[in-house]
Amino acid sequence: MSYDSFKVLTFDVVGTLIDFEAGVLDAVRKISGRKAAELSDDQIFASYKRGRDAHPERSSEVMFHVYRYLAKELGLPADDAACDSFQLAVLRWQPFSDSVDALKRLRTRFRLVAMTNADRVALSCYAHALDNPFHDTICADDTGVAKPNPEFFAYNKGRQSAFGYKQSEILHVAQSQHHDIGIARQLGYKVCWIERRQGMKGFGGTPEVPQLTKPDFHFATMKAFADAALGS
């Protein structure tokens, strides 16, 4: 399949461009003083996901409570100072090593649109860390819902149509099968799966899905995707 028909690339941000898994693990271990041998990645991710499910509101506000939930489950320090430290760390999650350069290259040919469940405050931090590559941004504050709710995609579809772009001209690029790949494919979008956990067991910090959705394009890194999309 050719990339020539696409004019817009819509991106999931957290997990695809921003390495939130490393951010969660690093923050929990730094705050708690526990090492990987004492507290596995899977243990941390499982409690983190349950905590996020219990507190699904704006990420720039509720990660304080997500950490407290996680800490109580895992027997870690759960005082206000520890929770504050985790909340601040969330706003400082960093890009994958290939994200900034890949986006800079892709911007020369495509309109880049962020589509994230993060709120506007968190998105501004992540966009800054990514060197502000986006032509447009859509977040949970705008839509009032979170992916995989189809209304999130409907909101963006209407917004991009106002700029003259059709759904057939949009390629959705994401890591999460649960939040993005499955629902986008159901809604008729062409999709590119950036499988950041390729070669690793499990689903890490993102929800599991009963069955993987086969994407139109499939890469392990943003660099590989940019090379293919730009013919490098």
Side-chain angles (χ1 to χ4, degrees):
M1 184 181 297
S2 171
Y3 295 91
D4 293 341
S5 61
F6 302 117
K7 296 181 180 179
V8 180
L9 302 179
T10 53
F11 288 94
D12 170 58
V13 177
V14 178
T16 306
L17 306 174
I18 296 291
D19 190 356
F20 88 99
E21 291 190 346
V24 168
L25 296 175
D26 291 348
V28 170
R29 288 178 177 138
K30 181 178 180 180
I31 294 166
S32 69
R34 300 289 184 87
K35 298 180 180 179
E38 302 174 89
L39 203 61
S40 72
D41 294 0
D42 287 343
Q43 285 177 292
I44 293 173
F45 287 143
S47 288
Y48 169 80
K49 286 187 284 189
R50 286 191 288 270
R52 194 66 174 108
D53 287 342
H55 300 282
E57 301 86 6
R58 301 179 80 244
S59 55
S60 67
E61 299 173 352
V62 303
M63 289 298 190
F64 177 103
H65 305 292
V66 172
Y67 177 79
R68 178 160 283 163
Y69 184 103
L70 175 156
K72 288 182 176 179
E73 273 203 354
L74 299 178
L76 306 178
D79 56 278
D80 285 356
C83 297
D84 276 331
S85 294
F86 187 80
Q87 177 70 80
L88 181 59
V90 167
L91 299 179
R92 294 177 174 172
W93 285 343
Q94 292 300 300
F96 287 96
S97 60
D98 62 348
S99 294
V100 173
D101 183 65
L103 290 169
K104 186 178 296 184
R105 293 166 58 204
L106 290 165
R107 185 183 167 93
T108 64
R109 177 173 170 184
F110 301 98
R111 174 179 173 84
L112 307 186
V113 179
M115 286 180 60
T116 179
N117 286 348
D119 59 65
R120 183 59 59 183
V121 173
L123 173 57
S124 69
C125 294
Y126 304 145
H128 178 73
L130 291 164
D131 203 19
N132 295 308
F134 303 113
H135 296 89
D136 195 12
T137 56
I138 311 297
C139 70
D141 285 347
D142 302 318
T143 63
V145 298
K147 296 175 295 179
N149 192 319
E151 292 180 17
F152 197 110
F153 288 84
Y155 182 99
N156 181 64
K157 180 180 176 181
R159 184 178 177 95
Q160 300 313 313
S161 70
F163 291 98
Y165 299 102
K166 304 174 184 177
Q167 179 174 334
S168 60
E169 295 174 322
I170 298 174
L171 175 64
H172 189 57
V173 184
Q175 176 269 338
S176 176
Q177 284 270 334
H178 170 77
H179 294 105
D180 292 272
I181 300 300
I183 184 62
R185 193 64 183 273
Q186 289 177 33
L187 295 172
Y189 289 90
K190 299 298 183 184
V191 297
C192 176
W193 184 23
I194 306 298
E195 190 182 358
R196 289 293 191 180
R197 292 182 59 83
Q198 191 169 97
M200 302 170 68
K201 293 182 179 180
F203 287 81
T206 57
E208 297 183 15
V209 293
Q211 184 174 348
L212 295 178
T213 297
K214 184 177 179 180
D216 299 284
F217 304 96
H218 186 185
F219 301 96
T221 66
M222 278 291 296
K223 180 184 184 302
F225 166 55
D227 286 347
L230 300 172
S232 301

